[in-house]
Amino acid sequence: MDRRDFLKASGWSLLGLAASGSLLSCVGGKSNDRKLPEELKRNFESLKDMKVFWGDIHNHCNVTYGHGDLEDALAAAREQLDFCAVTPHALWPDIPGENDPRLNWVIGYHTEAFKRLRAGGWDKYVRKTREANDPGKFLSFTSYECHSMEHGDHVALCYDYDTPLLECTSVPDLKEKLRKYKVFVTPHHMGYQTGFRGYEWKAFTDDDPQLPFVEMFSRHGLAEGDMGDYDYLHDMGPRVWEGSVLYGLEQGHKFGLMCSTDQHAGYPGSYGDGRIGVLAESLDRDKLWDAMSKRHVCGITGDKIKIDFRINGAMMGDVIKAGKREIYLNVEAQNFIDYVDLIKNGRCVARLNGPFLAQNPEGDVVRAKIKIDFGWNREEEYVHWQGRLKLSEGEIRDVQTCFRGAAFTSPQPGEHRFKTRVNRLLDRSAQHVELDMYSSKNPNVMTPAQQGVVLDVEMPRRATITADFNGQQISYTLDELLQGAKAHFMRGWLSEAIQFNRAAPESAFAIGTYMEDSDAERDTDYYYVRVRQRDGQWAWATPIWVERA
């Protein structure tokens, strides 16, 4: 059964499928004459000014326990995020250990950190966070974390800098005490076993202004379900079905989907560890907060994958009434798309596959996305990369930084005090990008520690991209990179290296479709989108809920 037959059998109508670099240009496809309904055209036009702003609202440094100074953490965040909250560990009302000698260390380790926070640490943290705020350019928020065996760990994200650090007897008690403040209280690493810091869905209340979204992915793993990528490997235990996002959706709950790093080495937004995207009109504190409260959020592991997903004009996070559901979907990735899934009521009802190997694009001038990675050190010492990437002809349309923090959660041998190495994009123009980066040894063959950037270019095939770093110049034509990846050791075999990844033409990184569904399966159906790139980076759009008309 091919995809069209499958969709037809599932009650779906696929009206068009095409690839395009524009998030709004490929509806209806290039292969037929079907046009987007005029009503949907108007709805899409009304949202043309919306933008996606990227942040990390749950990560740690040495304010309590963790590594790296707060100032460096905020500096790292500014290099690749629009907003951020660095998160002190603050509370654990039901901390275990009193009756189990194996866990005695837990009490001392955490309570000492909590004491440091209250002994002047909180006031200093708030002051430095406030100083980092730069309206319109970078927004900073305060937050703090409450552990709980019974209800699962939660992060309180605060709108106002004067929101107090409160004491509590439980997570519900904390939420009740915070009712008078503008605060979101978000569960994270939800997939652990209930009663052992996994999420307790029985405590969830729909339309709770404190809980518009949940954190489904972080360094702990992915809690979309109990299977699939990013298993839970921490010693806190395996993931289970009852804590997962799909379990909560199947209980009929409505909540947004987002990701955070939960990074413990002072690097908010560390590439591959999790980020939140917010669809808002501008980088304004009120507009961003309002968009988050409406669940207009998405989650990514690392790459800033744009998902434009609408049903009858409604956007992710919305609840509508409808009979026929006119579904518009367009995705712009940062690398080769593996597949895009449309999930309805816990079932994958449509899959759009990206090309296994993209066809050679037509024309002499080509738009493509090219990721360049720096790393593969053999020695323990950091490699300091200084230099630039430059085009001989053409234009760099956009740059995405792929900067990682340290992959460990403890200081390394020989380091008396861990210092965060902040990677920076120093300068950029239409023809060059200047970078200052630090790469460390990959800690094992499954954990990357490279730094990188993605260049969105439009350039002639014969034109070259040159990496001029640490006294060496390496050049490849766009045509060569469309044929495959290239690599270069800086000091011979078993030294640090640069990788030019295979260039992804538009047909590989952008895909879109318009579909119709008239099958109301429940009183309220939910639909959401998941995107996987060939390099293992993921994105998820918050569901749209459709009530029976």
Side-chain angles (χ1 to χ4, degrees), residues 455-499:
L455 303 184
D456 182 349
V457 302
E458 191 165 9
M459 58 189 293
R461 292 172 177 272
R462 67 180 182 279
T464 60
I465 301 176
T466 298
D468 185 353
F469 282 84
N470 297 0
Q472 292 201 42
Q473 290 189 354
I474 308 102
S475 297
Y476 295 101
T477 65
L478 174 59
D479 204 44
E480 288 178 301
L481 296 179
L482 286 166
Q483 305 307 314
K486 307 293 183 181
H488 180 86
F489 287 112
M490 299 295 286
R491 296 180 291 119
W493 188 51
L494 300 182
S495 71
E496 64 273 16
I498 298 177
Q499 181 184 37

mmCIF file of all heavy atoms in Angstrom, residues 455-499:
data_model
loop_
_atom_site.group_PDB
_atom_site.id
_atom_site.type_symbol
_atom_site.label_atom_id
_atom_site.label_comp_id
_atom_site.label_asym_id
_atom_site.label_seq_id
_atom_site.Cartn_x
_atom_site.Cartn_y
_atom_site.Cartn_z
ATOM 1 N N LEU A 455 25.465 26.734 7.989
ATOM 2 C CA LEU A 455 25.359 27.871 7.088
ATOM 3 C C LEU A 455 24.228 27.623 6.100
ATOM 4 O O LEU A 455 24.206 26.593 5.421
ATOM 5 C CB LEU A 455 26.665 28.091 6.322
ATOM 6 C CG LEU A 455 27.942 28.314 7.136
ATOM 7 C CD1 LEU A 455 29.105 28.612 6.189
ATOM 8 C CD2 LEU A 455 27.767 29.419 8.150
ATOM 9 N N ASP A 456 23.294 28.550 6.037
ATOM 10 C CA ASP A 456 22.234 28.537 5.026
ATOM 11 C C ASP A 456 22.739 29.432 3.898
ATOM 12 O O ASP A 456 22.795 30.660 4.037
ATOM 13 C CB ASP A 456 20.945 29.081 5.639
ATOM 14 C CG ASP A 456 19.770 29.067 4.674
ATOM 15 O OD1 ASP A 456 19.987 28.841 3.463
ATOM 16 O OD2 ASP A 456 18.632 29.310 5.120
ATOM 17 N N VAL A 457 23.140 28.824 2.778
ATOM 18 C CA VAL A 457 23.814 29.564 1.717
ATOM 19 C C VAL A 457 23.015 29.527 0.420
ATOM 20 O O VAL A 457 22.227 28.611 0.179
ATOM 21 C CB VAL A 457 25.230 29.011 1.446
ATOM 22 C CG1 VAL A 457 26.075 29.054 2.711
ATOM 23 C CG2 VAL A 457 25.184 27.590 0.895
ATOM 24 N N GLU A 458 23.238 30.516 -0.403
ATOM 25 C CA GLU A 458 22.780 30.534 -1.793
ATOM 26 C C GLU A 458 23.981 30.962 -2.613
ATOM 27 O O GLU A 458 24.453 32.101 -2.496
ATOM 28 C CB GLU A 458 21.608 31.489 -1.984
ATOM 29 C CG GLU A 458 20.944 31.347 -3.329
ATOM 30 C CD GLU A 458 19.575 32.011 -3.386
ATOM 31 O OE1 GLU A 458 19.231 32.728 -2.431
ATOM 32 O OE2 GLU A 458 18.870 31.812 -4.390
ATOM 33 N N MET A 459 24.501 30.045 -3.442
ATOM 34 C CA MET A 459 25.794 30.297 -4.069
ATOM 35 C C MET A 459 25.948 29.443 -5.325
ATOM 36 O O MET A 459 25.283 28.415 -5.485
ATOM 37 C CB MET A 459 26.922 29.988 -3.079
ATOM 38 C CG MET A 459 26.919 28.576 -2.560
ATOM 39 S SD MET A 459 28.101 28.283 -1.192
ATOM 40 C CE MET A 459 29.667 28.486 -2.039
ATOM 41 N N PRO A 460 26.819 29.855 -6.225
ATOM 42 C CA PRO A 460 27.096 29.027 -7.404
ATOM 43 C C PRO A 460 27.752 27.716 -7.010
ATOM 44 O O PRO A 460 28.494 27.632 -6.030
ATOM 45 C CB PRO A 460 28.057 29.900 -8.229
ATOM 46 C CG PRO A 460 27.858 31.292 -7.738
ATOM 47 C CD PRO A 460 27.517 31.150 -6.281
ATOM 48 N N ARG A 461 27.513 26.700 -7.800
ATOM 49 C CA ARG A 461 28.096 25.390 -7.517
ATOM 50 C C ARG A 461 29.626 25.444 -7.481
ATOM 51 O O ARG A 461 30.268 24.757 -6.696
ATOM 52 C CB ARG A 461 27.682 24.390 -8.600
ATOM 53 C CG ARG A 461 26.219 24.036 -8.616
ATOM 54 C CD ARG A 461 25.913 23.206 -9.857
ATOM 55 N NE ARG A 461 24.537 22.773 -9.886
ATOM 56 C CZ ARG A 461 24.093 21.647 -9.327
ATOM 57 N NH1 ARG A 461 24.935 20.868 -8.693
ATOM 58 N NH2 ARG A 461 22.818 21.315 -9.397
ATOM 59 N N ARG A 462 30.209 26.237 -8.363
ATOM 60 C CA ARG A 462 31.666 26.289 -8.467
ATOM 61 C C ARG A 462 32.308 27.089 -7.333
ATOM 62 O O ARG A 462 33.524 27.015 -7.118
ATOM 63 C CB ARG A 462 32.066 26.916 -9.797
ATOM 64 C CG ARG A 462 31.700 28.393 -9.894
ATOM 65 C CD ARG A 462 32.089 29.032 -11.205
ATOM 66 N NE ARG A 462 31.754 30.451 -11.216
ATOM 67 C CZ ARG A 462 30.557 30.944 -11.462
ATOM 68 N NH1 ARG A 462 29.546 30.107 -11.728
ATOM 69 N NH2 ARG A 462 30.344 32.247 -11.457
ATOM 70 N N ALA A 463 31.491 27.878 -6.627
ATOM 71 C CA ALA A 463 32.023 28.711 -5.557
ATOM 72 C C ALA A 463 32.499 27.836 -4.399
ATOM 73 O O ALA A 463 32.003 26.727 -4.176
ATOM 74 C CB ALA A 463 30.973 29.708 -5.084
ATOM 75 N N THR A 464 33.446 28.357 -3.623
ATOM 76 C CA THR A 464 34.046 27.579 -2.546
ATOM 77 C C THR A 464 33.640 28.092 -1.178
ATOM 78 O O THR A 464 33.336 29.269 -0.985
ATOM 79 C CB THR A 464 35.584 27.611 -2.632
ATOM 80 O OG1 THR A 464 36.030 28.968 -2.539
ATOM 81 C CG2 THR A 464 36.075 26.985 -3.921
ATOM 82 N N ILE A 465 33.633 27.161 -0.229
ATOM 83 C CA ILE A 465 33.543 27.484 1.198
ATOM 84 C C ILE A 465 34.903 27.144 1.804
ATOM 85 O O ILE A 465 35.374 26.006 1.689
ATOM 86 C CB ILE A 465 32.438 26.676 1.890
ATOM 87 C CG1 ILE A 465 31.089 26.954 1.245
ATOM 88 C CG2 ILE A 465 32.392 26.990 3.379
ATOM 89 C CD1 ILE A 465 29.968 26.128 1.817
ATOM 90 N N THR A 466 35.512 28.128 2.442
ATOM 91 C CA THR A 466 36.844 27.942 3.004
ATOM 92 C C THR A 466 36.788 28.040 4.527
ATOM 93 O O THR A 466 36.197 28.974 5.072
ATOM 94 C CB THR A 466 37.823 28.997 2.470
ATOM 95 O OG1 THR A 466 37.934 28.849 1.054
ATOM 96 C CG2 THR A 466 39.200 28.852 3.101
ATOM 97 N N ALA A 467 37.382 27.066 5.186
ATOM 98 C CA ALA A 467 37.578 27.126 6.632
ATOM 99 C C ALA A 467 39.019 27.565 6.882
ATOM 100 O O ALA A 467 39.965 26.847 6.523
ATOM 101 C CB ALA A 467 37.315 25.769 7.265
ATOM 102 N N ASP A 468 39.178 28.739 7.456
ATOM 103 C CA ASP A 468 40.497 29.306 7.745
ATOM 104 C C ASP A 468 40.646 29.348 9.270
ATOM 105 O O ASP A 468 40.244 30.302 9.928
ATOM 106 C CB ASP A 468 40.585 30.705 7.127
ATOM 107 C CG ASP A 468 41.972 31.330 7.277
ATOM 108 O OD1 ASP A 468 42.811 30.734 7.979
ATOM 109 O OD2 ASP A 468 42.199 32.409 6.697
ATOM 110 N N PHE A 469 41.222 28.274 9.847
ATOM 111 C CA PHE A 469 41.289 28.126 11.303
ATOM 112 C C PHE A 469 42.674 27.648 11.734
ATOM 113 O O PHE A 469 43.274 26.776 11.100
ATOM 114 C CB PHE A 469 40.245 27.110 11.796
ATOM 115 C CG PHE A 469 38.854 27.671 11.864
ATOM 116 C CD1 PHE A 469 38.058 27.698 10.739
ATOM 117 C CD2 PHE A 469 38.367 28.207 13.049
ATOM 118 C CE1 PHE A 469 36.783 28.229 10.783
ATOM 119 C CE2 PHE A 469 37.093 28.747 13.102
ATOM 120 C CZ PHE A 469 36.293 28.765 11.970
ATOM 121 N N ASN A 470 43.129 28.233 12.831
ATOM 122 C CA ASN A 470 44.361 27.796 13.495
ATOM 123 C C ASN A 470 45.533 27.653 12.515
ATOM 124 O O ASN A 470 46.325 26.709 12.581
ATOM 125 C CB ASN A 470 44.126 26.486 14.242
ATOM 126 C CG ASN A 470 43.115 26.633 15.359
ATOM 127 O OD1 ASN A 470 42.574 27.721 15.592
ATOM 128 N ND2 ASN A 470 42.837 25.551 16.066
ATOM 129 N N GLY A 471 45.617 28.610 11.565
ATOM 130 C CA GLY A 471 46.737 28.632 10.640
ATOM 131 C C GLY A 471 46.596 27.759 9.422
ATOM 132 O O GLY A 471 47.516 27.670 8.611
ATOM 133 N N GLN A 472 45.466 27.102 9.238
ATOM 134 C CA GLN A 472 45.253 26.260 8.065
ATOM 135 C C GLN A 472 44.016 26.714 7.300
ATOM 136 O O GLN A 472 43.057 27.206 7.894
ATOM 137 C CB GLN A 472 45.089 24.800 8.459
ATOM 138 C CG GLN A 472 46.342 24.157 9.004
ATOM 139 C CD GLN A 472 46.279 22.645 8.902
ATOM 140 O OE1 GLN A 472 45.826 22.096 7.888
ATOM 141 N NE2 GLN A 472 46.728 21.962 9.933
ATOM 142 N N GLN A 473 44.039 26.507 5.976
ATOM 143 C CA GLN A 473 42.906 26.802 5.116
ATOM 144 C C GLN A 473 42.488 25.536 4.382
ATOM 145 O O GLN A 473 43.327 24.856 3.785
ATOM 146 C CB GLN A 473 43.241 27.891 4.098
ATOM 147 C CG GLN A 473 43.426 29.278 4.701
ATOM 148 C CD GLN A 473 43.541 30.352 3.633
ATOM 149 O OE1 GLN A 473 43.587 30.072 2.445
ATOM 150 N NE2 GLN A 473 43.586 31.604 4.075
ATOM 151 N N ILE A 474 41.196 25.238 4.461
ATOM 152 C CA ILE A 474 40.633 24.078 3.771
ATOM 153 C C ILE A 474 39.444 24.570 2.968
ATOM 154 O O ILE A 474 38.557 25.237 3.510
ATOM 155 C CB ILE A 474 40.177 22.979 4.755
ATOM 156 C CG1 ILE A 474 41.302 22.628 5.725
ATOM 157 C CG2 ILE A 474 39.714 21.749 4.003
ATOM 158 C CD1 ILE A 474 41.139 23.236 7.100
ATOM 159 N N SER A 475 39.390 24.245 1.669
ATOM 160 C CA SER A 475 38.328 24.742 0.794
ATOM 161 C C SER A 475 37.684 23.600 0.028
ATOM 162 O O SER A 475 38.372 22.663 -0.421
ATOM 163 C CB SER A 475 38.878 25.771 -0.206
ATOM 164 O OG SER A 475 39.390 26.902 0.440
ATOM 165 N N TYR A 476 36.367 23.700 -0.141
ATOM 166 C CA TYR A 476 35.620 22.789 -0.999
ATOM 167 C C TYR A 476 34.576 23.593 -1.757
ATOM 168 O O TYR A 476 34.045 24.584 -1.245
ATOM 169 C CB TYR A 476 34.932 21.684 -0.186
ATOM 170 C CG TYR A 476 35.895 20.755 0.499
ATOM 171 C CD1 TYR A 476 36.174 20.891 1.855
ATOM 172 C CD2 TYR A 476 36.550 19.759 -0.221
ATOM 173 C CE1 TYR A 476 37.068 20.048 2.484
ATOM 174 C CE2 TYR A 476 37.453 18.912 0.418
ATOM 175 C CZ TYR A 476 37.701 19.066 1.764
ATOM 176 O OH TYR A 476 38.596 18.235 2.384
ATOM 177 N N THR A 477 34.267 23.143 -2.983
ATOM 178 C CA THR A 477 33.202 23.787 -3.733
ATOM 179 C C THR A 477 31.856 23.270 -3.226
ATOM 180 O O THR A 477 31.768 22.173 -2.646
ATOM 181 C CB THR A 477 33.311 23.492 -5.238
ATOM 182 O OG1 THR A 477 33.108 22.086 -5.456
ATOM 183 C CG2 THR A 477 34.673 23.911 -5.779
ATOM 184 N N LEU A 478 30.833 24.063 -3.465
ATOM 185 C CA LEU A 478 29.494 23.603 -3.113
ATOM 186 C C LEU A 478 29.174 22.315 -3.859
ATOM 187 O O LEU A 478 28.556 21.393 -3.295
ATOM 188 C CB LEU A 478 28.469 24.680 -3.427
ATOM 189 C CG LEU A 478 27.007 24.288 -3.238
ATOM 190 C CD1 LEU A 478 26.726 23.851 -1.799
ATOM 191 C CD2 LEU A 478 26.070 25.428 -3.631
ATOM 192 N N ASP A 479 29.589 22.218 -5.115
ATOM 193 C CA ASP A 479 29.307 21.017 -5.893
ATOM 194 C C ASP A 479 29.930 19.785 -5.246
ATOM 195 O O ASP A 479 29.301 18.715 -5.185
ATOM 196 C CB ASP A 479 29.841 21.193 -7.315
ATOM 197 C CG ASP A 479 29.120 20.304 -8.312
ATOM 198 O OD1 ASP A 479 27.874 20.225 -8.231
ATOM 199 O OD2 ASP A 479 29.783 19.680 -9.154
ATOM 200 N N GLU A 480 31.141 19.909 -4.717
ATOM 201 C CA GLU A 480 31.775 18.776 -4.029
ATOM 202 C C GLU A 480 30.982 18.380 -2.790
ATOM 203 O O GLU A 480 30.805 17.177 -2.507
ATOM 204 C CB GLU A 480 33.196 19.154 -3.629
ATOM 205 C CG GLU A 480 34.179 19.245 -4.777
ATOM 206 C CD GLU A 480 35.556 19.667 -4.319
ATOM 207 O OE1 GLU A 480 35.681 20.772 -3.740
ATOM 208 O OE2 GLU A 480 36.525 18.893 -4.530
ATOM 209 N N LEU A 481 30.477 19.369 -2.031
ATOM 210 C CA LEU A 481 29.763 19.063 -0.791
ATOM 211 C C LEU A 481 28.368 18.524 -1.057
ATOM 212 O O LEU A 481 27.815 17.814 -0.214
ATOM 213 C CB LEU A 481 29.711 20.306 0.095
ATOM 214 C CG LEU A 481 31.073 20.812 0.576
ATOM 215 C CD1 LEU A 481 30.911 22.064 1.421
ATOM 216 C CD2 LEU A 481 31.819 19.735 1.364
ATOM 217 N N LEU A 482 27.793 18.831 -2.214
ATOM 218 C CA LEU A 482 26.514 18.219 -2.585
ATOM 219 C C LEU A 482 26.687 16.725 -2.865
ATOM 220 O O LEU A 482 25.726 15.953 -2.780
ATOM 221 C CB LEU A 482 25.925 18.912 -3.807
ATOM 222 C CG LEU A 482 25.330 20.305 -3.569
ATOM 223 C CD1 LEU A 482 25.090 21.017 -4.891
ATOM 224 C CD2 LEU A 482 24.032 20.216 -2.765
ATOM 225 N N GLN A 483 27.913 16.310 -3.173
ATOM 226 C CA GLN A 483 28.183 14.904 -3.462
ATOM 227 C C GLN A 483 28.487 14.095 -2.200
ATOM 228 O O GLN A 483 28.360 12.871 -2.204
ATOM 229 C CB GLN A 483 29.356 14.775 -4.435
ATOM 230 C CG GLN A 483 29.202 15.557 -5.727
ATOM 231 C CD GLN A 483 27.905 15.256 -6.447
ATOM 232 O OE1 GLN A 483 27.534 14.086 -6.597
ATOM 233 N NE2 GLN A 483 27.208 16.297 -6.886
ATOM 234 N N GLY A 484 28.908 14.779 -1.111
ATOM 235 C CA GLY A 484 29.190 14.028 0.097
ATOM 236 C C GLY A 484 30.050 14.803 1.081
ATOM 237 O O GLY A 484 30.584 15.877 0.769
ATOM 238 N N ALA A 485 30.193 14.261 2.291
ATOM 239 C CA ALA A 485 30.937 14.916 3.366
ATOM 240 C C ALA A 485 32.439 14.832 3.121
ATOM 241 O O ALA A 485 32.944 13.895 2.494
ATOM 242 C CB ALA A 485 30.589 14.273 4.702
ATOM 243 N N LYS A 486 33.153 15.833 3.658
ATOM 244 C CA LYS A 486 34.609 15.890 3.560
ATOM 245 C C LYS A 486 35.187 16.114 4.963
ATOM 246 O O LYS A 486 34.557 16.744 5.802
ATOM 247 C CB LYS A 486 35.062 17.030 2.652
ATOM 248 C CG LYS A 486 34.426 17.021 1.260
ATOM 249 C CD LYS A 486 34.883 15.833 0.436
ATOM 250 C CE LYS A 486 34.294 15.898 -0.966
ATOM 251 N NZ LYS A 486 34.706 14.722 -1.785
ATOM 252 N N ALA A 487 36.387 15.614 5.202
ATOM 253 C CA ALA A 487 37.014 15.756 6.522
ATOM 254 C C ALA A 487 38.484 16.105 6.371
ATOM 255 O O ALA A 487 39.118 15.775 5.355
ATOM 256 C CB ALA A 487 36.860 14.471 7.331
ATOM 257 N N HIS A 488 39.032 16.769 7.395
ATOM 258 C CA HIS A 488 40.430 17.205 7.340
ATOM 259 C C HIS A 488 41.015 17.207 8.749
ATOM 260 O O HIS A 488 40.520 17.887 9.637
ATOM 261 C CB HIS A 488 40.515 18.614 6.745
ATOM 262 C CG HIS A 488 41.909 19.148 6.654
ATOM 263 N ND1 HIS A 488 42.736 18.878 5.576
ATOM 264 C CD2 HIS A 488 42.629 19.922 7.502
ATOM 265 C CE1 HIS A 488 43.898 19.478 5.770
ATOM 266 N NE2 HIS A 488 43.869 20.110 6.933
ATOM 267 N N PHE A 489 42.094 16.416 8.963
ATOM 268 C CA PHE A 489 42.836 16.463 10.217
ATOM 269 C C PHE A 489 43.717 17.703 10.235
ATOM 270 O O PHE A 489 44.359 18.043 9.237
ATOM 271 C CB PHE A 489 43.712 15.220 10.389
ATOM 272 C CG PHE A 489 42.947 13.970 10.721
ATOM 273 C CD1 PHE A 489 42.861 12.926 9.814
ATOM 274 C CD2 PHE A 489 42.319 13.842 11.947
ATOM 275 C CE1 PHE A 489 42.164 11.768 10.120
ATOM 276 C CE2 PHE A 489 41.619 12.683 12.265
ATOM 277 C CZ PHE A 489 41.531 11.655 11.346
ATOM 278 N N MET A 490 43.808 18.353 11.385
ATOM 279 C CA MET A 490 44.586 19.579 11.490
ATOM 280 C C MET A 490 46.079 19.305 11.690
ATOM 281 O O MET A 490 46.934 20.090 11.278
ATOM 282 C CB MET A 490 44.063 20.439 12.646
ATOM 283 C CG MET A 490 42.617 20.875 12.471
ATOM 284 S SD MET A 490 42.372 21.971 11.053
ATOM 285 C CE MET A 490 43.091 23.501 11.682
ATOM 286 N N ARG A 491 46.435 18.176 12.339
ATOM 287 C CA ARG A 491 47.846 17.863 12.618
ATOM 288 C C ARG A 491 48.158 16.408 12.296
ATOM 289 O O ARG A 491 48.977 15.775 12.929
ATOM 290 C CB ARG A 491 48.177 18.165 14.082
ATOM 291 C CG ARG A 491 48.050 19.631 14.464
ATOM 292 C CD ARG A 491 48.400 19.902 15.931
ATOM 293 N NE ARG A 491 47.406 19.345 16.835
ATOM 294 C CZ ARG A 491 47.666 18.421 17.750
ATOM 295 N NH1 ARG A 491 48.890 17.935 17.880
ATOM 296 N NH2 ARG A 491 46.713 17.970 18.537
ATOM 297 N N GLY A 492 47.473 15.869 11.287
ATOM 298 C CA GLY A 492 47.675 14.467 10.945
ATOM 299 C C GLY A 492 46.728 13.559 11.711
ATOM 300 O O GLY A 492 45.946 13.984 12.562
ATOM 301 N N TRP A 493 46.839 12.266 11.411
ATOM 302 C CA TRP A 493 45.931 11.281 11.987
ATOM 303 C C TRP A 493 45.939 11.338 13.520
ATOM 304 O O TRP A 493 46.969 11.563 14.148
ATOM 305 C CB TRP A 493 46.336 9.881 11.517
ATOM 306 C CG TRP A 493 45.356 8.806 11.910
ATOM 307 C CD1 TRP A 493 44.011 8.797 11.717
ATOM 308 C CD2 TRP A 493 45.675 7.574 12.565
ATOM 309 N NE1 TRP A 493 43.465 7.636 12.206
ATOM 310 C CE2 TRP A 493 44.460 6.863 12.746
ATOM 311 C CE3 TRP A 493 46.858 7.001 13.027
ATOM 312 C CZ2 TRP A 493 44.399 5.616 13.344
ATOM 313 C CZ3 TRP A 493 46.799 5.755 13.623
ATOM 314 C CH2 TRP A 493 45.581 5.078 13.780
ATOM 315 N N LEU A 494 44.757 11.132 14.123
ATOM 316 C CA LEU A 494 44.549 11.156 15.562
ATOM 317 C C LEU A 494 44.763 12.554 16.154
ATOM 318 O O LEU A 494 45.188 12.688 17.307
ATOM 319 C CB LEU A 494 45.440 10.138 16.283
ATOM 320 C CG LEU A 494 45.232 8.669 15.886
ATOM 321 C CD1 LEU A 494 46.143 7.763 16.715
ATOM 322 C CD2 LEU A 494 43.781 8.251 16.022
ATOM 323 N N SER A 495 44.477 13.566 15.365
ATOM 324 C CA SER A 495 44.468 14.937 15.880
ATOM 325 C C SER A 495 43.072 15.512 15.688
ATOM 326 O O SER A 495 42.182 14.860 15.131
ATOM 327 C CB SER A 495 45.500 15.803 15.157
ATOM 328 O OG SER A 495 45.110 16.066 13.816
ATOM 329 N N GLU A 496 42.877 16.742 16.151
ATOM 330 C CA GLU A 496 41.586 17.406 15.963
ATOM 331 C C GLU A 496 41.276 17.539 14.470
ATOM 332 O O GLU A 496 42.185 17.558 13.632
ATOM 333 C CB GLU A 496 41.566 18.764 16.655
ATOM 334 C CG GLU A 496 42.554 19.772 16.109
ATOM 335 C CD GLU A 496 43.921 19.690 16.749
ATOM 336 O OE1 GLU A 496 44.217 18.661 17.413
ATOM 337 O OE2 GLU A 496 44.707 20.644 16.569
ATOM 338 N N ALA A 497 39.986 17.638 14.154
ATOM 339 C CA ALA A 497 39.586 17.611 12.749
ATOM 340 C C ALA A 497 38.397 18.529 12.499
ATOM 341 O O ALA A 497 37.671 18.916 13.424
ATOM 342 C CB ALA A 497 39.231 16.180 12.333
ATOM 343 N N ILE A 498 38.226 18.870 11.218
ATOM 344 C CA ILE A 498 37.065 19.624 10.736
ATOM 345 C C ILE A 498 36.301 18.728 9.780
ATOM 346 O O ILE A 498 36.896 18.051 8.927
ATOM 347 C CB ILE A 498 37.490 20.916 10.009
ATOM 348 C CG1 ILE A 498 38.235 21.855 10.963
ATOM 349 C CG2 ILE A 498 36.288 21.628 9.408
ATOM 350 C CD1 ILE A 498 38.754 23.120 10.299
ATOM 351 N N GLN A 499 34.983 18.718 9.928
ATOM 352 C CA GLN A 499 34.135 17.979 8.997
ATOM 353 C C GLN A 499 33.179 18.936 8.299
ATOM 354 O O GLN A 499 32.445 19.677 8.949
ATOM 355 C CB GLN A 499 33.318 16.894 9.706
ATOM 356 C CG GLN A 499 32.440 16.100 8.734
ATOM 357 C CD GLN A 499 31.552 15.091 9.429
ATOM 358 O OE1 GLN A 499 31.047 15.362 10.512
ATOM 359 N NE2 GLN A 499 31.354 13.945 8.818
#
